Amino acid sequence: YVTPIAGQNGGSGYAGSAVCGKCHAAQFESQSKTAHAHALQRAQATDPGPGSHAEWAFGAGTNAVTWVSQTGEETIAEHGLSFYAATKSLAITPGHTTSADIVYRTFDPVDTGLRCFRCHSTGPLTLAAGYRIQPSEPGIHCESCHGPGRAHAESGGVKPIQNPKRLSAVQINTL
């Protein structure tokens, strides 16, 4: 059972970057190597510090990685220590005053960890069993800037897609 999170479009208009890559291979290959493409991924058991028991790793690791875990059906914890590439060490996560985890209510209208997922993934977020957060596509990919591309892909490129060069930063960040 998976349900869209309120405020999301349910994913019907998103194709996913692999579909984009079929026609735009060079752009797909180039973008796949960027830090944006790796802005969110599943945490690895070999990650240092809190990453070894976290669910998600935010950040590509070129500057830093911050770990996040779902701690209950209605709570998300941002771990208090992040890994910083420059020093190859753990230190307090940006925005924290101590190394303690900050726990957010998942559905808090103001202070929610869902904001992190919305910016570090592409497409709508859904909830699986136990209210587990499921990003459509971890990382920042094609449709984060170009908007939903299913209609464009299904039309063989006949239907236009957004050109981010014509959008303001505010418009891009509200796609």
Side-chain angles (χ1 to χ4, degrees):
Y1 172 73
V2 178
T3 184
I5 293 176
Q8 300 285 320
N9 75 1
S12 60
Y14 287 85
S17 62
V19 171
C20 301
K22 290 177 182 176
C23 295
H24 305 282
Q27 293 90 336
F28 174 80
E29 181 70 25
S30 175
Q31 197 278 334
S32 294
K33 295 176 183 174
T34 67
H36 276 121
H38 302 281
L40 175 65
Q41 47 200 325
R42 287 282 183 184
Q44 304 296 313
T46 56
D47 285 345
S52 63
H53 62 270
E55 289 180 72
W56 295 100
F58 283 78
T62 52
N63 293 317
V65 174
T66 297
W67 294 282
V68 171
S69 295
Q70 199 153 352
T71 54
E73 286 189 349
E74 297 186 21
T75 55
I76 300 169
E78 180 181 58
H79 295 283
L81 293 175
S82 292
F83 178 80
Y84 294 90
T87 60
K88 295 182 177 29
S89 64
L90 295 171
I92 293 176
T93 295
H96 290 231
T97 56
T98 71
S99 62
D101 297 349
I102 294 178
V103 178
Y104 297 99
R105 286 184 43 233
T106 305
F107 304 107
D108 186 310
V110 176
D111 215 14
T112 176
L114 292 177
R115 289 178 301 139
C116 305
F117 284 92
R118 287 183 179 131
C119 289
H120 285 260
S121 65
T122 302
L125 301 172
T126 56
L127 296 176
Y131 297 103
R132 306 307 291 174
I133 298 166
Q134 298 296 314
S136 295
E137 187 173 14
I140 302 165
H141 298 281
C142 310
E143 293 164 299
S144 288
C145 295
H146 292 283
R150 178 171 284 150
H152 175 73
E154 288 175 352
S155 73
V158 173
K159 288 190 177 180
I161 194 162
Q162 292 183 85
N163 181 342
K165 288 182 181 179
R166 296 187 184 121
L167 302 173
S168 70
V170 170
Q171 290 171 314
I172 288 172
N173 285 317
T174 57
L175 286 177

